[in-house]
Amino acid sequence: MNTPQTYKIKGMHCASCASIIEKTLKKMDGVYYVEANYGTESAKISFDLAKINIEDISKKIETLGYSIMSHDMKDHSEHVGVNQSKKDKLLEIKEMRTKVFSVIPLAIVSIFVMAWDTFVQFKTIPEMSLTVSEFFHHLLPIMATYTLFVVGKPYLTGVYRFFRYGKANMDTLIGLGTSVAFIYSFIVSAFEETLLKSFPNVSYTYYDVTIVVITFIALGKYLEARSKLKTGDAIEKLLNLQAKTALVLRDGKEIEIYIDQVIHGEIIVVKPAGKIPVDGVLVDGTSYVDEAMITGEPIPVKKEVGDTVVAGTINTTGSFTFKATKVGSETMLAHIVKMVEEAQDSKAPIQALADRISAIFVPVVLGIAVITLLLWLSIGTQYLGFSQALSFGLVSLVSILVIACPCALGLATPTAIIVGVGKGAKEGILIKDAENLEKLHKVNVIVVDKTGTITKGKPELVHIQNISDKTDDELVGLLATLENKSEHPIAHAIVSYAKNKNISFDEVRNFDTIKGKGLKGIINGVEYFAGNTKLIEDLNISFDIKEIDKSTKEGKTPIILATKEKILGIVYVADAIKPEAIGAVKNLHKLGIKVVMLTGDNKNTADYIAKIVGIDEVVAEVLPEDKLNVIKKFQSEGKIVAMAGDGVNDAPALAQANVGIAMATGTDVAIESAGITLLHGDISKLIKAIKLSKITMLGIKQNLFWAFFYNIIGIPLASGLFYPIFGWLLSPIFAGLAMAFSSVSVVSNSLRLKTKQL
């Protein structure tokens, strides 16, 4: 299995978990590639099936507290992210909630006792009575025992695995810190009288630290899990678009079946307000279909016989039947879901820094904590006495272990990527991976193909020059009646124009084609000719060639309608400019981006279109390999280049560009050909894609800042570095609170990206 497959990993609690999984699996014979992602709690794994299987891989990490969910265990009906079953995730969150709510009352009692003791020291309130003091003296150890061994069990397991296998993660830090506080307190409680004889000041216990720290961290992990659930809701919403059943015609009867039973070529009936179950082509009827799912546009699109429809889109008022062309995993919706899944699970280059830090963070923190304790005992004893130095050293040890957990660091990038990719999918912007999303905001040159990107990619009737006594509609009606008998693309453009304008067709007799020149036929007793200038020259009719030549240089194709005696009019057919292209280029200029048009079309046509749209530079009459060289030229000048094309004939250039952008139309989605796909071929979505990249990267940088800020400020404070100067010593309780809410703040900041306007 050389292609990496994504698997859900159970038991991941922090960024260092991802590092442990990667290092462990990479050492296995037969495993080619491993990339673990804490944000999505999953791993991409590539391995040799001849040497190893997924069960062997799972067993390897089970001893470390992790396990792999194989593909056959997935529940795609209730999806929240890459390989994540919503049902399992909700069950896990429910268990976390139960534990958190069971321990919160204990934490409140502990804080009450701690606060009372603090106020007593400042002589603001009287001391507790002996009875009350003794009650809490015996109650706190019981509460701490429950908290540590029931709610804190995962952290104790982390300590065990550290000593057993030498692998340390967040659980190890929390487990060591709270265990040390608990064991120290237990020794003081059990041997209080003996210890007081040798160390008069050793009487304070830290049961409250064990209780409150575990409570805060458990609460933080619960809130983090709930928040992370929301980051992956894009896929769930996409899957909810899928119809559950389809109404098919079998043996002349309408039968409702599940969509996984639909086969290729089957005729499907769609009624008003019905969801379209699979991709297909209309064979009967007409309607308007809401395609907001794939385009982001709210206005329904008219569908007639021959038009394509896409699974998940919604019919409005009419009824129609269509033939299934793509079913199951072939549908456009399935491709979108797969692409969003893979993109959300991918890592952005900016994440590499956080991953490298996380990989060494836990061992370094353990070292700092031990050194801090030793420094307190060696230096602090000289000034404070052994018992006070031991007490402060213990507080510092626990505080460092608690505050330094790299959870926020591990969540900083993936949570923002998950939200950004999901937001893009809703806007009709499909992002292949996080790397492309990161690169896009740095782009300073965008190279665009003409046909299908700036222009619509199919001929349309763009101008009518009427020199007869007939109306424009009558003129087009005569021309369309003749052209209706032709299969030429230009003929289709004229006929489509007439149909859209509801212009009626007459009957034509003695129809004939004149090879290379045009066609002729008799309509209502009059013989008409339609074709190019050569046909008119053959009829010996004089005409003004200058106006026609001018239009030809602008990329327009003239079709002249005439009788044997005179010209009635000229219609011009061209590949029309997309209405949104001019505005899109203006907005790209506002972002400081240079726009270059590459085309195989002739220079006159290219220059004319570029002038209308406002494009900065034109390279015309180029072959696909020439487009590739143009991209390389810009890159050699130090430019970051994005290429927008149709994803097929522009494939070499798309691959060479720093970011390849496919302009996908209908169901022909060039998902695999480029890093980013703009559904419906709408170039204005390119602006939204760049803005999405900018706000996502800003969110990641903000997240990384806060993640580093917590640790850079927290560790020196927790170690007691400022105690000799300011008398500051961070309580482990506040360390636990800071660590818990650092993760929540990072996830919340990522979720904030959902509210941003593109």
Side-chain angles (χ1 to χ4, degrees):
M1 188 184 290
N2 293 325
T3 304
Q5 298 289 317
T6 303
Y7 298 91
K8 161 102 166 93
I9 306 288
K10 288 188 175 180
M12 290 182 76
H13 300 299
C14 63
S16 52
C17 291
S19 174
I20 289 168
I21 290 166
E22 285 184 7
K23 286 180 179 178
T24 304
L25 296 185
K26 281 177 181 176
K27 292 177 183 177
M28 293 184 74
D29 185 34
V31 174
Y32 301 132
Y33 174 84
V34 183
E35 184 184 90
N37 189 321
Y38 169 49
T40 54
E41 296 175 28
S42 62
K44 282 184 179 178
I45 308 171
S46 172
F47 57 92
D48 187 348
L49 276 168
K51 293 182 179 180
I52 200 169
N53 58 42
I54 198 65
E55 286 76 20
D56 296 330
I57 294 171
S58 185
K59 285 176 185 175
K60 184 70 176 177
I61 58 174
E62 278 173 11
T63 54
L64 304 176
Y66 314 107
S67 61
I68 294 174
M69 179 186 282
S70 62
H71 286 287
D72 57 0
M73 293 168 66
K74 288 189 227 169
D75 174 14
H76 279 290
S77 64
E78 293 185 277
H79 219 285
V80 294
V82 179
N83 298 338
Q84 284 184 301
S85 161
K86 187 176 184 181
K87 195 174 179 181
D88 290 344
K89 202 67 186 169
L90 287 171
L91 187 63
E92 182 185 330
I93 290 172
K94 186 180 178 183
E95 289 174 359
M96 292 172 74
R97 184 178 182 274
T98 302
K99 286 184 177 180
V100 166
F101 278 79
S102 74
V103 82
I104 282 177
L106 309 186
I108 292 170
V109 171
S110 300
I111 292 169
F112 169 76
V113 175
M114 182 173 56
W116 191 298
D117 286 344
T118 303
F119 286 127
V120 165
Q121 289 177 20
F122 289 103
K123 297 180 180 179
T124 54
I125 58 173
E127 290 187 14
M128 290 183 186
S129 66
L130 185 61
T131 306
V132 174
S133 178
E134 282 296 308
F135 171 73
F136 285 123
H137 183 72
H138 291 91
L139 179 64
L140 284 174
I142 297 169
M143 294 194 307
T145 303
Y146 168 79
T147 305
L148 181 63
F149 292 97
V150 177
V151 181
K153 186 180 177 182
Y155 310 124
L156 293 178
T157 308
V159 175
Y160 164 75
R161 292 195 185 102
F162 171 61
F163 288 113
R164 176 76 173 79
Y165 303 105
K167 305 288 185 182
N169 62 4
M170 183 208 84
D171 292 351
T172 309
L173 298 181
I174 303 299
L176 280 172
T178 52
S179 297
V180 167
F182 180 84
I183 292 166
Y184 172 83
S185 302
F186 183 79
I187 292 170
V188 170
S189 298
F191 306 102
E192 188 173 6
E193 292 182 9
T194 306
L195 287 170
L196 284 172
K197 290 177 183 177
S198 304
F199 308 103
N201 294 322
V202 179
S203 60
Y204 192 81
T205 57
Y206 296 102
Y207 291 121
D208 50 1
V209 168
T210 301
I211 296 165
V212 179
V213 165
I214 288 177
T215 300
F216 279 153
I217 289 168
L219 177 62
K221 297 300 285 180
Y222 165 66
L223 294 174
E224 176 194 311
R226 274 195 6 169
S227 299
K228 278 174 70 179
L229 194 68
K230 294 176 186 176
T231 63
D233 64 359
I235 288 181
E236 185 183 11
K237 286 178 180 176
L238 283 171
L239 283 164
N240 286 339
L241 295 171
Q242 180 73 65
K244 302 293 185 290
T245 60
L247 198 62
V248 301
L249 282 177
R250 289 182 180 175
D251 301 323
K253 295 180 181 178
E254 292 183 3
I255 302 170
E256 190 171 20
I257 61 173
Y258 288 108
I259 58 165
D260 58 3
Q261 297 173 330
V262 177
I263 57 176
H264 289 96
E266 194 135 43
I267 301 300
I268 297 170
V269 180
V270 180
K271 295 188 175 179
K275 275 187 181 180
I276 294 165
V278 295
D279 293 2
V281 179
L282 258 73
V283 293
D284 185 48
T286 181
S287 184
Y288 284 85
V289 175
D290 181 353
E291 293 189 330
M293 181 273 289
I294 59 166
T295 65
E297 302 299 328
I299 301 170
V301 179
K302 189 177 183 181
K303 297 290 179 180
E304 298 174 321
V305 174
D307 289 339
T308 56
V309 288
V310 177
T313 55
I314 301 168
N315 185 28
T316 54
T317 54
S319 296
F320 59 86
T321 57
F322 73 94
K323 183 169 73 173
T325 56
K326 293 180 181 178
V327 299
S329 61
E330 303 168 342
T331 66
M332 185 177 179
L333 180 59
H335 277 299
I336 292 172
V337 170
K338 182 172 179 284
M339 191 173 188
V340 174
E341 283 181 340
E342 290 177 351
Q344 289 185 338
D345 190 46
S346 61
K347 289 186 178 182
I350 198 171
Q351 193 173 340
L353 174 63
D355 284 349
R356 285 197 297 271
I357 292 170
S358 297
I360 61 169
F361 207 71
V362 173
V364 167
V365 167
L366 283 169
I368 291 172
V370 172
I371 291 168
T372 299
L373 177 61
L374 294 175
L375 286 172
W376 271 110
L377 292 175
S378 59
I379 299 173
T381 301
Q382 299 174 33
Y383 301 97
L384 304 170
F386 176 76
S387 59
Q388 190 68 35
L390 176 61
S391 180
F392 284 178
L394 185 69
V395 167
S396 297
L397 173 78
V398 176
S399 297
I400 290 170
L401 292 176
V402 169
I403 203 169
C405 298
C407 284
L409 203 58
L411 289 167
T413 302
T415 52
I417 292 293
I418 290 168
V419 173
V421 168
K423 187 176 180 68
K426 290 176 188 174
E427 295 281 352
I429 303 162
L430 298 188
I431 298 155
K432 195 171 186 179
D433 55 44
E435 186 173 356
N436 281 287
L437 183 62
E438 179 175 335
K439 284 180 183 175
L440 190 58
H441 85 287
K442 299 176 183 176
V443 165
N444 47 31
V445 173
I446 287 183
V447 176
V448 294
D449 180 40
K450 178 180 77 70
T451 308
T453 304
I454 297 298
T455 65
K456 293 181 178 179
K458 63 178 182 178
E460 287 185 359
L461 196 160
V462 294
H463 180 61
I464 300 168
Q465 185 182 347
N466 190 347
I467 51 177
S468 71
D469 56 359
K470 300 179 185 294
T471 65
D472 285 358
D473 283 1
E474 287 172 340
L475 190 77
V476 172
L478 289 169
L479 192 55
T481 299
L482 285 173
E483 298 287 2
N484 198 30
K485 295 284 186 179
S486 172
E487 292 297 322
H488 195 282
I490 288 175
H492 285 306
I494 295 167
V495 171
S496 294
Y497 178 87
K499 285 181 177 178
N500 289 336
K501 297 275 284 183
N502 293 318
I503 297 171
S504 59
F505 291 35
D506 290 315
E507 187 180 338
V508 60
R509 294 185 296 109
N510 299 345
F511 176 83
D512 193 18
T513 57
I514 305 165
K515 192 174 181 181
K517 298 175 183 177
L519 40 83
K520 65 178 181 176
I522 297 173
I523 304 169
N524 297 327
V526 180
E527 187 173 32
Y528 293 97
F529 297 84
N532 56 25
T533 54
K534 289 180 182 177
L535 176 62
I536 304 305
E537 286 170 357
D538 288 350
L539 292 171
N540 291 317
I541 301 172
S542 62
F543 60 93
D544 183 5
I545 193 69
K546 290 181 181 177
E547 185 66 29
I548 292 174
D549 280 349
K550 181 186 174 187
S551 296
T552 303
K553 287 178 181 178
E554 293 173 355
K556 298 171 186 173
T557 301
I559 297 93
I560 306 168
L561 179 68
T563 62
K564 281 184 178 180
E565 296 80 23
K566 61 178 179 179
I567 293 174
L568 301 177
I570 307 170
V571 301
Y572 293 94
V573 172
D575 184 5
I577 295 169
K578 290 181 178 180
E580 66 273 12
I582 297 171
V585 171
K586 279 183 182 177
N587 286 325
L588 287 171
H589 286 154
K590 285 178 184 176
L591 293 171
I593 296 171
K594 179 179 180 178
V595 185
V596 179
M597 186 169 77
L598 287 184
T599 179
D601 209 342
N602 72 73
K603 195 172 188 309
N604 288 330
T605 302
D607 286 341
Y608 172 73
I609 289 172
K611 186 178 179 182
I612 292 174
V613 178
I615 285 168
D616 302 302
E617 186 178 331
V618 177
V619 184
E621 299 173 10
V622 290
L623 297 171
E625 53 266 32
D626 298 324
K627 292 182 180 182
L628 179 69
N629 292 330
V630 172
I631 302 288
K632 287 181 177 178
K633 175 179 169 290
F634 281 118
Q635 289 173 329
S636 68
E637 295 169 0
K639 306 291 186 184
I640 309 296
V641 184
M643 167 72 186
D646 62 15
V648 181
N649 61 351
D650 296 313
L654 286 168
Q656 177 63 36
N658 299 92
V659 182
I661 301 164
M663 307 296 293
T665 53
T667 55
D668 299 320
V669 186
I671 285 176
E672 300 304 323
S673 64
I676 293 172
T677 301
L678 305 181
L679 295 176
H680 216 58
D682 185 352
I683 193 173
S684 66
K685 292 187 188 297
L686 183 54
I687 318 301
K688 290 186 175 183
I690 293 168
K691 287 181 179 177
L692 178 66
S693 174
K694 287 180 182 291
I695 65 169
T696 304
M697 291 312 300
L698 179 61
I700 288 171
K701 288 171 183 175
Q702 289 169 343
N703 286 349
L704 288 171
F705 168 78
W706 285 112
F708 281 118
F709 177 80
Y710 276 113
N711 289 314
I712 290 170
I713 299 298
I715 291 175
L717 185 60
S719 68
L721 190 66
F722 302 112
Y723 182 79
I725 307 168
F726 305 108
W728 295 349
L729 196 63
L730 185 69
S731 165
I733 290 168
F734 290 109
L737 187 65
M739 176 264 156
F741 285 97
S742 65
S743 297
V744 176
S745 65
V746 162
V747 177
S748 299
N749 188 51
S750 295
L751 286 170
R752 193 175 56 85
L753 300 178
K754 286 185 177 185
T755 64
K756 296 286 186 180
Q757 291 294 318
L758 295 182

